[in-house]
Amino acid sequence: MDARSLADDIRGRSDRQLGHLLRLRPDLARPAPADLTSLAARASTRVSAQRALEGLDLAHVHALQAVCVASSPEDAAAVLGTSSDHLSALVERLWDLALVWRGGDRQHVVRIVGELLAPVAGLGPPMRELRPSRPHVLDDPRVVDERLAGVGTEGRTVLDRLAWGPPTAVVPQSGAMATAVRSLVEADLLVPAENQRAVLPREVALRLRGGRIHHDNALEAPEVAGREHPLAVVDQVAGGAAAELLTQVDELAEAWGADPPRVLRGGGLSVRDLSVTATALDVDEGRAAFVAELAHAAGLLADDESVDPIFAPTPAYDDWQQQPADVRWSRLARTWLETHRNPALVGARGRRGGRVNALSEGTVWPPARRLRHEVLDELARLPEGLAPDQESLEERLRWRHPLRPLPSPSGVEVVLREVEWVGVTGRGALGGAARALLSGGADGSAAAEAEQLMAEHLPTATEHVLLQADLTAIAPGRLDGSLNRFMRTSADVESRGGATVFRFSPESVRRILDAGWSADQVLQTLRDASSTEVPQPLEYLVSDVARRHGRTRVGAASCYVRSDDTTVLDAMLVDRNLGVLQLRRIAPTVLVGSAPPATATEVLRDAGYAPAAETADGVLVVPERSRHRTPVRRPSSPVRTTTVDEEYAESLVGALRAGEEAAAHRRSREEESPGPPLPASDPAVTLALLRDAAADRQGVWIGHADASGRVQRMLFYPRRVEGGRAYGQVDGGTDRSFSVHRITGAAPT
């Protein structure tokens, strides 16, 4: 039996075809629909159809427009300017996506898809919609050509302006053009509309366009221009960029580990801290924000969630830092590819009008992930070593998704800059390691292959430095491992480049001594790492700082207890009940302890003493009633799955088949019962039936629940469905409107 609607078409598909549809349009599967009718209704919703249209390339959009315009497959191929076989291949994909359905010997465009595409290719409605009283007046192309041949100069000017859209023009009140428009209306070449406008019928526009719907059918993707580079050079440059990124992450972790920046009250990193970080990394603030955002997304840096929160390295950073350089790069590259954060937004104006800070919620921008994938997919399609021009790449992306506008300002420029920073590209061309990483593979084989390729092109880590008499050390290459950590702790980076220059100072030597190193250990490590003898000035510096290091000690005490009666303090020191306070004497009349003041006061009172709390300046504290409240916690965002695998699709198809059988059984029982219809399994089904009935000017049986909850069954002829209400007439000709949420179910007549 021929399908009469999209629902019939979907019911007639095989299990394999249904599973393919669910994988192509995963939004149809989550949450799982109850049956195939609900699946068809969901595929007909505006949001789902819009999402599917945005995934089409220009060739499929033009093919869809051709099917909308033409009355047969042959006519569709003719207006598109291609062969029937080529059009059939394009339409087959549209059918797979449930954007068209098969009925009889032709393809039908889903109604909501036609509405979303309107005006189709800039064409106006056909004559049957503009003048239902004379629907076939322009069916014969020869009649249209004869009437066009009799049009004057002014009339031809009007038609030429409307031919390629928009198809509507304002009718002038007087003059030669007004006379020309009236003659065109009399010849049925224009149709008057509301508000003193005239519409060019579709049949006339197609004849003016020479039977084509577009100047260029654009069925092939445009070529991408660019410059070619040897693949060896591309991989070498990409390896250098990857090594630089690893170094910057290490420097950021060292800087924030020693002096962690605070988290702003509204979240994120302050402008001052970002500037300090950029200076420490010797990069601009945009690059510093990128490194911080990437390390944060990879879990190497995080907010410690304390009372006075700070950003600091996580234990995961220590584990990551111990791994080989190629493995560390692979993790960063995959994190960049999958994160929803967009560091390029730092410094821009946020949604609430303020400045977007690094590491804040303002940098979360989900389209960034999709754009990265699209750009890298295009780079992977190019020949090896080809670095595309930005303009031609943007043109190719516009062809890939013409109904999905590119971000403005250009997000492509941002992505091309970031892929160079990450080491995914070298000199603008995709590197071999990144190409392997993009090849996929759920078993991790792609990542392993990418790491192996990157390991071959990362600059070899040097294991020595050159110590100089001016208290500097030169690392002729990339430092790694324990030597890298030692040099960054004991010295400050003075300059970067092919070689890194470190400078020793009293502050830097004190830093390594604070980390628990002795002077002998520092000097011995320098001797082992240096190709030359340790200069005498450096030995003197280390020895001198070590001689003075630790003479003055600083400790911590959470509370103090003072009393003019030293015997009371003596009793406290030997009281076992006060052992939890860890009291010790620092002066004859002063004890200090590790417990907070409030705890110390309470413990002393429980032990029989009568202490009084005081402020730092000696003023007695008057206790207040506790006003403790649970702190406000930001709810975690739900994890949304955007893909449907083959196993889930197969199980869902089985459930849909079972649900459809149950729904058919309910419908058969309902037809036998004169009572109200059973509730629809999905509200989308009810809405789809009402919209289809309104478009086809047909009636539909509905069940309507009134204010008292009583359900009435009635025959309803909807005219339009909008704003949550359905407007039309009930059986008998009475105008009625119903709230959609009160319609318990619907069934076609």
Side-chain angles (χ1 to χ4, degrees), residues 305 628-636:
E305 298 183 350
H628 177 75
R629 296 291 186 272
T630 302
V632 177
R633 292 180 174 85
R634 183 178 301 166
S636 57

Side-chain angles (χ1 to χ4, degrees), residues 287-311:
R287 182 73 173 268
F290 172 78
V291 176
E293 287 279 356
L294 183 58
H296 182 271
L300 309 181
L301 302 170
D303 172 357
D304 68 352
E305 298 183 350
S306 62
V307 176
D308 189 10
I310 58 173
F311 288 112

Side-chain angles (χ1 to χ4, degrees), residues 628-651:
H628 177 75
R629 296 291 186 272
T630 302
V632 177
R633 292 180 174 85
R634 183 178 301 166
S636 57
S637 301
V639 178
R640 297 182 180 180
T641 305
T642 57
T643 58
V644 172
D645 57 23
E646 187 172 353
E647 181 180 358
Y648 177 72
E650 183 178 350
S651 63

Side-chain angles (χ1 to χ4, degrees), residues 455-610:
E456 299 174 1
H457 300 100
L458 282 169
T460 304
T462 184
E463 298 180 355
H464 68 278
V465 294
L466 303 175
L467 298 177
Q468 302 188 105
D470 62 350
L471 299 181
T472 62
I474 300 176
R478 177 175 63 88
L479 294 179
D480 207 353
S482 59
L483 180 58
N484 180 43
R485 292 193 297 274
F486 171 79
M487 290 302 299
R488 295 188 183 281
T489 306
S490 62
D492 299 315
V493 177
E494 189 170 77
S495 66
R496 299 172 177 81
T500 304
V501 178
F502 296 89
R503 176 166 294 279
F504 295 94
S505 65
E507 291 76 15
S508 67
V509 174
R510 188 179 302 113
R511 191 166 61 231
I512 191 70
L513 296 177
D514 288 340
W517 290 63
S518 66
D520 292 338
Q521 290 175 326
V522 172
L523 292 174
Q524 185 59 46
T525 303
L526 290 173
R527 294 187 188 100
D528 295 340
S530 177
S531 302
T532 59
E533 294 293 330
V534 177
Q536 194 175 55
L538 182 55
E539 284 194 34
Y540 287 164
L541 175 64
V542 174
S543 301
D544 184 57
V545 173
R547 185 167 52 253
R548 292 180 285 110
H549 185 265
R551 285 185 177 180
T552 303
R553 303 296 180 94
V554 177
S558 297
C559 70
Y560 67 84
V561 180
R562 69 182 183 90
S563 175
D564 294 334
D565 190 349
T566 58
T567 58
V568 174
L569 299 183
D570 292 339
M572 290 181 181
L573 287 174
V574 298
D575 193 336
R576 293 184 178 181
N577 294 327
L578 304 182
V580 68
L581 301 181
Q582 299 181 3
L583 297 174
R584 65 185 186 276
R585 191 190 298 268
I586 62 172
T589 59
V590 180
L591 304 180
V592 295
S594 60
T599 303
T601 302
E602 191 173 330
V603 171
L604 287 171
R605 286 172 178 166
D606 292 341
Y609 300 93

